[in-house]
Amino acid sequence: MGQDLAIGSADITKIGVGVIIALVVIGGLLSLLITAIIGRVIILVVVVALGIFVWQQRTSIQDSINAHKCDLSATFFGIHLDAPASVKQACKSQTG
């Protein structure tokens, strides 16, 4: 007369397999998303750190090749830099 609405053991197995497959797919997608986010955060940290380091180097050079200090032996990432001729002339006129 009526249909049986109970879930059988075969149905539970199918539901269990479906849930496991869904969890594996969701886990895989989340791992890709989290990996991408972590990768972006790592790249952001490295870029910001390098930017700060370059800014510090620039400031150091600017301070040492200043007309008031006249320290013309500056390096930028280990590369020796020569002061512009106008700065050399200004230093000569101050000290001489």
Side-chain angles (χ1 to χ4, degrees):
M1 194 184 221
Q3 291 186 351
D4 192 349
L5 295 178
I7 297 176
S9 61
D11 293 332
I12 291 176
T13 303
K14 290 177 187 175
I15 292 171
V17 170
V19 168
I20 289 172
I21 291 172
L23 287 174
V24 168
V25 169
I26 290 171
L29 292 174
L30 284 176
S31 71
L32 291 174
L33 179 66
I34 291 172
T35 301
I37 290 171
I38 290 173
R40 288 181 181 138
V41 168
I42 290 171
I43 290 171
L44 177 67
V45 167
V46 168
V47 167
V48 168
L50 287 173
I52 291 170
F53 183 66
V54 168
W55 189 261
Q56 181 271 334
Q57 287 284 304
R58 185 205 63 84
T59 304
S60 175
I61 291 170
Q62 188 177 20
D63 288 344
S64 61
I65 303 181
N66 187 336
H68 301 291
K69 290 183 183 177
C70 290
D71 179 16
L72 302 179
S73 60
T75 59
F76 186 68
F77 293 109
I79 299 171
H80 179 72
L81 300 175
D82 288 326
S86 60
V87 174
K88 289 179 183 178
Q89 186 63 31
C91 285
K92 286 180 184 177
S93 65
Q94 272 188 348
T95 58

